[in-house]
Amino acid sequence: MTDKPTLDDWQTLAAKEVKGADLTWRTPEGIDVKPLYTAADVTTDPGLPGFAPFTRGVRASMYAGRPWTIRQYAGFSTAEASNAFYRRNLAAGQKGLSVAFDLATHRGYDSDHPRVTGDVGKAGVAIDTIDDMKILFDGIPLDQMSVSMTMNGAVIPILAFFIVAGEEQGVPMAQLDGTIQNDILKEFMVRNTYIYPPEPSMRIISDIFAFTSANMPKFNSISISGYHMQEAGATQLQELAFTIADGMEYVKYGVASGLDIDKFAGRLSFFFAIGMNFFMEVAKLRAARVLWHRVMTQLGAQDERSKMLRTHCQTSGVSLTEQDPYNNVMRTTIEAMAAMLGGTQSLHTNALDEAIALPTDFSARIARNTQIVIQEETGMTKVVDPLGGSYYVESLTEQLVDGAWEIIERVEREGGMAKAVAAGWPKAMIEEASAARAARVDRGEDVIVGVNKYRKADEDPIDILDVDNHAVREAQIARIRKVKVGRDEAACQAALEALKAGAAGKANLLELAVDCARQRATLGEISSAMEAGFGRYATVPTPVKGIYGGAYENDARWDNLVAGVAATERRLGRKPRMLVAKMGQDGHDRGANLVSSMFGDLGFEVVPGPLFQTPREAAVLALESDVDVVGASSLAAGHKTLIPELIGHLRDAGRADIKVIAGGVIPAQDYDFLHDAGVQAIFGPGTNLIKAAEDVLRLLGHNMPPESEAAE
């Protein structure tokens, strides 16, 4: 009988097989992942599902007793179009609704506001009045359907409309089931669809906690979201730590406002992104449950339900690629499996075309059926926490718990998450991670199949959903006028005045807004009534420096670019100057910040434009700053409206010489339209920023060497 092989024996054999190469992988989180894990790597007993600290799941039976809820995050164009889409999906097996609102709605503007001409109906459904909300759920019984609403900025009017839509459908608010995202801290950190400054925004959250805990026992009053952090470039460790820290802050605010922690904490839920690092994502969800149990115990919760982290997950949007887009079906499937094996309570799977546009019925069906196939055909739901006990998964869970706790302790030492967000260091940390990731992808160190490896010679066009922004806006304006004509104007204005007074005082804002909704006040009117007391918040991006350029130290192609920028500077008599413009109400600034950081590291003078500019405001800033190039970043489908208008303003000012380039989520089908409008270069999703910089220098008259020579 031979002796049992030892770990030393394995190491000797493995070293021989790979000729001594080091197989350790250092993840973006700074975790060194070994090629083999054993029982010696696990120091914590994960316990059993359904029992504290819930590492293995919040329910003892998990999916063996009941599978997760299948959701599709969807909303586009008008309430009528979205309602029809929801009803088709529900008939095809979807179990819950997840509503996407357009950016005008997110930012508290009615569709007739001059700042939102390019945003209405483009990245979600436009909701201006209670009539829109009623149409959105027409034929969908709100006493039987769980509804998740991704809303943070205009959370008060949207939730008020939902409550009144239920009332007028015959469903009292006590029977309404679902979730409102209501997570403003992450908006200040990454997504930027805020309206009011941080302090009154936190008051709004406390008011929603108070109202829903008293009147809506089935409704989740917040979905604390890490999703947008990972989409903005955060590592999974950062997403985990900052999301739990946000949750701590919300609970502390609720308690400070006089609420009993165990009266509202059980209705808090979470929302995480699921990316392509499969086992890291599984371990992240397990670690999140451990951390939340620890946090809530420290905050004084007594009820075990208050300490139980329940979460929705969504497969990654940023992992989707415009190039070779059918690969996105596999990516979404892998991510869905990670969410399921990590123990999610509900899941949204992204469609294959969402790197380019809103999903079509064809692509949405594939995304939805991905979940149905996993539930119905694979047998994965038959065993509770099937990866529990895996040496690797358990070790990774422990490391994520420890690493995230270090960040959480820093947040607490510095006064909590609200102060950390105000200080800006979480946002800077995420942007540094984002820039480092972009550099790794551009250098080919992180492989994206079909983008920087195994790329097709020619891309096949795919059908996309295109929304007629102008037609949607005209229809919304007509409905706003009809509602205003038909309402009791005196009663409506009295309700709005009461809300305005409440914002200046201490009355519950949601309760007052419900009265406004009953009197047919519009979303913009309700938002403006609170804005009168709170003001509107605005920031200017501050790009990180040195991260992207640092990754290219001693790289010949980068050195050629730096030399090209220096030559352009000598010719111009100053540094080449670029305005990075974010027009419309799209607050997603990851791409804009990456461009600003990279071009700044190259030696450009970068003017980072404020968020939410109109085309006219962007043109004025370009003229005042005397820029050579305007880089217009578009992630929310407003490019066909906003960018041509910007070019028109520059031409009218006699500055047609300023080069306008565009980047972001722009379908190839729109390139000819933009070129005809005067756009001189377009950089779609997955663009290598080094190649983009070479093209920009050529536009500025510098003769860059051919790519093959530059790489030598």
Side-chain angles (χ1 to χ4, degrees):
M1 183 176 178
T2 59
D3 292 335
K4 183 179 179 180
T6 66
L7 185 58
D8 287 341
D9 294 331
W10 174 84
Q11 289 172 336
T12 300
L13 181 60
K16 182 179 179 181
E17 290 174 351
V18 298
K19 298 180 174 57
D22 184 4
L23 296 179
T24 301
W25 168 41
R26 189 168 184 81
T27 73
E29 291 76 17
I31 296 173
D32 289 324
V33 174
K34 303 183 298 182
L36 179 70
Y37 284 77
T38 68
D41 294 299
V42 180
T43 61
T44 303
D45 181 359
L48 292 170
F51 293 92
F54 307 109
T55 313
R56 302 194 64 186
V58 295
R59 299 174 67 240
S61 60
M62 286 303 290
Y63 310 135
R66 185 180 70 195
W68 66 91
T69 301
I70 297 173
R71 296 188 186 275
Q72 286 299 106
Y73 178 53
F76 59 92
S77 183
T78 61
E80 291 92 341
S82 294
N83 173 263
F85 185 78
Y86 294 158
R87 292 170 73 167
R88 290 195 300 272
N89 286 0
L90 292 169
Q94 184 176 314
K95 301 300 183 185
L97 293 180
S98 192
V99 182
F101 299 96
D102 75 356
L103 289 165
T105 302
H106 273 287
R107 294 270 293 146
Y109 293 116
D110 287 335
S111 296
D112 58 0
H113 197 285
R115 298 196 73 85
V116 300
T117 54
D119 297 301
V120 177
K122 292 296 284 187
V125 61
I127 299 293
D128 296 308
T129 68
I130 179 60
D131 284 14
D132 289 329
M133 189 69 82
K134 289 175 67 176
I135 292 167
L136 188 66
F137 296 115
D138 182 41
I140 299 172
L142 292 178
D143 56 345
Q144 300 174 35
M145 182 60 56
S146 171
V147 177
S148 173
M149 293 179 286
T150 301
M151 177 54 64
N152 303 284
V155 62
I156 288 286
I158 284 296
L159 190 47
F161 286 169
F162 179 67
I163 290 167
V164 176
E167 284 180 357
E168 298 189 5
Q169 203 185 81
V171 180
M173 66 180 78
Q175 293 183 25
L176 294 174
D177 187 7
T179 303
I180 189 83
Q181 192 164 97
N182 192 28
D183 176 5
I184 202 64
L185 284 175
K186 72 101 169 61
E187 297 295 330
F188 292 115
M189 205 185 319
V190 291
R191 189 164 175 254
N192 300 313
T193 50
Y194 42 69
I195 300 175
Y196 313 110
E199 187 173 346
S201 296
M202 294 298 288
R203 176 200 163 176
I204 285 171
I205 289 170
S206 294
D207 282 3
I208 290 172
F209 285 174
F211 185 91
T212 55
S213 63
N215 300 289
M216 303 171 71
K218 297 172 65 177
F219 197 80
N220 297 311
S221 53
I222 193 168
S223 175
I224 304 154
S225 175
Y227 183 87
H228 303 97
M229 298 181 200
Q230 189 179 138
E231 292 291 279
T235 67
Q236 279 91 333
L237 179 61
Q238 291 167 351
E239 176 195 9
L240 172 63
F242 291 136
T243 304
I244 298 297
D246 279 351
M248 290 180 68
E249 193 80 348
Y250 294 133
V251 170
K252 287 189 288 186
Y253 265 78
V255 171
S257 69
L259 297 176
D260 181 333
I261 190 170
D262 286 313
K263 288 288 195 286
F264 72 91
R267 302 310 305 171
L268 309 185
S269 66
F270 286 78
F271 175 27
F272 287 102
I274 303 294
M276 285 297 288
N277 190 344
F278 184 85
F279 289 104
M280 188 71 74
E281 294 292 7
V282 172
K284 181 185 75 182
L285 297 185
R286 302 170 97 251
R289 292 191 288 271
V290 174
L291 288 165
W292 190 241
H293 187 272
R294 181 186 298 179
V295 162
M296 293 304 288
T297 300
Q298 290 187 3
L299 292 176
Q302 300 298 314
D303 188 338
E304 283 299 294
R305 182 174 173 78
S306 299
K307 307 175 186 180
M308 185 187 295
L309 183 145
R310 296 160 301 110
T311 190
H312 171 69
C313 290
Q314 180 175 340
T315 59
S316 172
V318 78
S319 74
L320 303 177
T321 64
E322 177 189 39
Q323 299 83 359
D324 208 358
Y326 290 103
N327 288 336
N328 294 333
V329 176
M330 287 81 84
R331 293 186 178 102
T332 294
T333 302
I334 291 166
E335 291 166 352
M337 288 173 58
M340 172 265 178
L341 291 167
T344 190
Q345 279 60 67
S346 69
L347 178 62
H348 162 68
T349 33
N350 287 329
L352 67 94
D353 48 2
E354 287 189 71
I356 309 164
L358 291 167
T360 61
D361 278 7
F362 170 79
S363 66
R365 182 173 184 272
I366 294 172
R368 181 180 59 255
N369 284 354
T370 299
Q371 296 191 55
I372 296 174
V373 168
I374 292 173
Q375 285 189 358
E376 303 286 350
E377 296 188 22
T378 65
M380 291 185 189
T381 62
K382 306 302 183 185
V383 176
V384 180
D385 188 29
L387 291 183
S390 157
Y391 301 140
Y392 177 36
V393 170
E394 299 298 354
S395 175
L396 204 52
T397 300
E398 292 174 14
Q399 291 183 79
L400 284 172
V401 167
D402 293 343
W405 193 249
E406 288 182 12
I407 296 175
I408 292 167
E409 287 184 318
R410 177 185 172 185
V411 170
E412 291 305 291
R413 283 195 306 271
E414 298 185 18
M417 201 59 191
K419 290 186 177 178
V421 168
W425 66 264
K427 181 177 180 68
M429 187 182 288
I430 290 170
E431 289 182 3
E432 288 172 3
S434 176
R437 161 71 171 170
R440 291 195 306 273
V441 171
D442 285 352
R443 289 172 62 86
E445 294 165 0
D446 286 5
V447 173
I448 310 293
V449 173
V451 176
N452 63 2
K453 196 173 185 180
Y454 311 112
R455 184 152 186 177
K456 296 176 67 176
D458 297 298
E459 295 291 339
D460 299 321
I462 65 170
D463 293 332
I464 62 169
L465 179 67
D466 188 23
V467 174
D468 185 342
N469 162 247
H470 297 289
V472 174
R473 187 165 186 259
E474 288 173 5
Q476 289 300 119
I477 291 172
R479 183 173 292 147
I480 291 170
R481 289 172 179 162
K482 181 179 178 182
V483 167
K484 287 184 176 180
V485 167
R487 71 191 183 186
D488 182 333
E489 191 64 27
C492 181
Q493 292 304 320
L496 288 168
E497 285 299 320
L499 177 59
K500 190 182 298 184
K506 294 184 178 180
N508 188 285
L509 296 171
L510 179 54
E511 183 176 355
L512 293 170
V514 169
D515 289 338
C516 294
R518 289 175 180 139
Q519 299 302 329
R520 271 36 195 182
T522 69
L523 176 134
E525 289 173 327
I526 294 172
S527 297
S528 294
M530 292 188 290
E531 185 181 339
F534 297 155
R536 184 171 277 268
Y537 188 73
T539 58
V540 178
T542 305
V544 298
K545 298 178 181 178
I547 303 297
Y548 196 97
Y552 274 86
E553 189 174 1
N554 301 319
D555 183 283
R557 196 170 175 190
W558 179 268
D559 291 343
N560 277 326
L561 278 171
V562 171
V565 173
T568 303
E569 179 179 355
R570 289 191 295 271
R571 180 167 51 81
L572 295 175
R574 57 167 175 77
K575 291 178 179 292
R577 195 173 294 138
M578 173 187 285
L579 167 63
V580 178
K582 286 290 296 181
M583 296 180 289
Q585 299 304 306
D586 171 28
H588 294 85
D589 58 357
R590 176 180 183 167
N593 290 339
L594 283 175
V595 169
S596 295
S597 297
M598 192 275 285
F599 277 89
D601 286 354
L602 277 175
F604 273 70
E605 181 182 337
V606 175
V607 180
L611 298 177
F612 315 123
Q613 285 192 305
T614 65
R616 180 179 296 278
E617 289 167 344
V620 168
L621 182 56
L623 295 170
E624 290 176 347
S625 303
D626 191 24
V627 300
D628 307 294
V629 182
V630 176
S633 173
S634 175
L635 277 78
H639 50 272
K640 291 173 71 173
T641 301
L642 300 171
I643 298 176
E645 188 178 335
L646 165 69
I647 292 170
H649 289 310
L650 293 175
R651 285 175 176 165
D652 291 345
R655 291 301 309 273
D657 59 303
I658 295 176
K659 317 294 184 187
V660 175
I661 61 176
V665 181
I666 301 175
Q669 291 91 322
D670 293 346
Y671 283 19
D672 287 345
F673 174 89
L674 292 177
H675 284 310
D676 290 344
V679 175
Q680 300 207 15
I682 302 170
F683 305 106
T687 293
N688 184 300
L689 292 181
I690 298 299
K691 174 68 165 59
E694 291 172 346
D695 290 347
V696 170
L697 281 176
R698 290 190 185 97
L699 283 176
L700 294 179
H702 181 73
N703 293 319
M704 290 296 300
E707 187 173 325
S708 58
E709 292 181 22
E712 291 177 359

